[in-house]
Amino acid sequence: GIQVEQSPPDLILQEGANSTLRCNFSDSVNNLQWFHQNPWGQLINLFYIPSGTKQNGRLSATTVATERYSLLYISSSQTTDSGVYFCAVGDGAGGTSYGKLTFGQGTILTVHP
Amino acid sequence: GAVVSQHPSWVICKSGTSVKIECRSLDFQATTMFWYRQFPKQSLMLMATSNEGSKATYEQGVEKDKFLINHASLTLSTLTVTSAHPEDSSFYICSATRGWINQPQHFGDGTRLSIL
């Protein structure tokens, strides 16, 4: 199956700093989503971005599908940005598991005041 | 936006009990739903794919007789953990998609299961 690698595994920032999280994947994808998992376990959907660039406030994401990577940018970080960020990809494989996502191991972000 | 409701959010029960978790798509028809499990400090791992009106497809290593999945309608899938034991304690989370090509998955808030 498809492999997903995220880096860095851990990231510690001071409030106000910018950061870039990376997601590499081993095969072509028809779905790529970035999530923020908060301390209560809720998965917050940040971006659906199988290709191209999107922005939402202080967050933006870029996926270069031909080179099999995606980047999540966080600008002017806040303490509420702390948590685990997951990249998940779907490779479009057929059959009854069509559409399933494979998650990376996540990046643990800690933002200090 | 698309909303997926998962219930209950927290369950504590004795070993040997069977536990049912519901996953509902509130504002769209979900032809496909997925069940994931997450152990502490780990990533989400897919357990099974649930297609409306047909049997679920289980990932390798997931016991289908242990984790019963029913997807009886386009808005509801249930996961029943049968005869739960402490090693089944985990965070279970469902997702739903419209099933059309190239559509995002929408996740429920998860169920934290603790077996004593």
Side-chain angles (χ1 to χ4, degrees), chain A:
Chain A
I2 194 167
Q3 305 297 312
V4 184
E5 289 186 8
Q6 289 186 243
S7 60
D10 297 274
L11 185 58
I12 300 175
L13 300 174
Q14 285 296 126
E15 201 167 28
N18 302 328
S19 62
T20 301
L21 282 58
R22 187 177 179 102
C23 173
N24 292 334
F25 41 94
S26 62
D27 208 340
S28 59
V29 299
N30 67 352
N31 184 359
L32 190 146
Q33 293 181 248
W34 282 99
F35 299 94
H36 174 210
Q37 188 170 38
N38 66 22
W40 297 272
Q42 295 173 316
L43 276 180
I44 310 301
N45 187 25
L46 299 176
F47 294 103
Y48 168 71
I49 188 166
S51 64
T53 297
K54 291 185 178 180
Q55 179 159 6
N56 183 2
R58 296 182 296 106
L59 303 181
S60 64
T62 295
T63 298
V64 184
T66 53
E67 297 187 22
R68 299 181 183 170
Y69 73 88
S70 183
L71 302 174
L72 177 68
Y73 305 97
I74 304 174
S75 64
S76 303
S77 58
Q78 301 175 359
T79 56
T80 52
D81 294 332
S82 296
V84 185
Y85 288 80
F86 287 107
C87 165
V89 304
D91 60 7
T96 52
S97 294
Y98 180 80
K100 69 178 184 181
L101 291 178
T102 300
F103 280 74
Q105 288 303 304
T107 293
I108 301 173
L109 175 63
T110 304
V111 181
H112 290 301

Side-chain angles (χ1 to χ4, degrees), chain A residues 6 30-31 33 35 37 39-43 45 48 50 86 95-106, chain B residues 32 34 36 38 42-46 49 51 57 59 91 93 99-109 112:
Chain A
Q6 289 186 243
N30 67 352
N31 184 359
Q33 293 181 248
F35 299 94
Q37 188 170 38
W40 297 272
Q42 295 173 316
L43 276 180
N45 187 25
Y48 168 71
F86 287 107
T96 52
S97 294
Y98 180 80
K100 69 178 184 181
L101 291 178
T102 300
F103 280 74
Q105 288 303 304
Chain B
T32 306
F34 301 89
Y36 297 83
Q38 184 180 30
Q42 294 187 20
S43 186
L44 281 76
M45 295 295 293
L46 180 68
T49 302
N51 294 294
T57 301
E59 295 298 300
F91 187 62
I93 188 165
W100 305 331
I101 194 168
N102 298 343
Q103 287 290 311
Q105 286 190 28
H106 306 281
F107 283 77
D109 287 343
R112 203 162 298 279

Side-chain angles (χ1 to χ4, degrees), chain B residues 47-83:
Chain B
M47 298 176 64
T49 302
S50 171
N51 294 294
E52 186 267 337
S54 63
K55 290 183 179 180
T57 301
Y58 291 82
E59 295 298 300
Q60 192 171 8
V62 177
E63 301 175 56
K64 61 180 182 181
D65 294 331
K66 174 75 165 177
F67 300 99
L68 301 180
I69 292 173
N70 183 279
H71 193 158
S73 77
L74 286 172
T75 59
L76 174 64
S77 177
T78 59
L79 168 68
T80 301
V81 184
T82 61
S83 187

